[in-house]
Amino acid sequence: MAHLGVLSFVTIVCLSIRRSDSYNDFNNNYDGTLNFECASKKQAISSVYSVYDYEAKDRKFRIQCKDVPGVYGPRKCEHSINWENGLGGLLAFQCRSNMYIVGMKSKHNNVVEDRRWTFHCCGFNDFHLYDCEFTGRTNDYIRVQDFSVPDGKVIKGVISVHKSAAEDRIYIYNVCKVKKW
């Protein structure tokens, strides 16, 4: 009987560990809609982690935010009005001057096996972006994406290329420093 108690305990621990890497840790399910926005007005997206699934021919995303140091005062924001890319097409999005990405929405299409994207950008009147630069690829097709925004920077834009043979996208980000005028 003692072995049965140990076996039950081990089973519970294993199930708990497995659940920590479940769909609940991601902001969307495969083939599902991603709708993410930072919780605080003082935050910006700080990391994008995604995994590809061969069966679904899609990605799950885990997006996180962190505070942008020193920002305060009234914030101005705007959302994309339309999809920023066509299915299978190039995504080349930039927030307006002195704004950075605080939210992303994406919808998967099973026919083309691709995602369309919209973005939510915000900024503060007394702060501006400078020393912007593009990252290299943050993933390869069908590989894990594990991108963290460098400290003191925010994401201003995204470039993404779809490859039909892989039924996937690569992502490149435009990151900038933020400072008070």
Side-chain angles (χ1 to χ4, degrees), residues 104-122:
M104 301 178 177
K105 183 176 181 179
S106 178
K107 187 171 182 178
H108 186 260
N109 178 289
N110 282 324
V111 175
V112 181
E113 297 296 357
D114 190 21
R115 288 185 165 273
R116 289 199 274 179
W117 290 90
T118 64
F119 298 92
H120 185 195
C121 300
C122 292

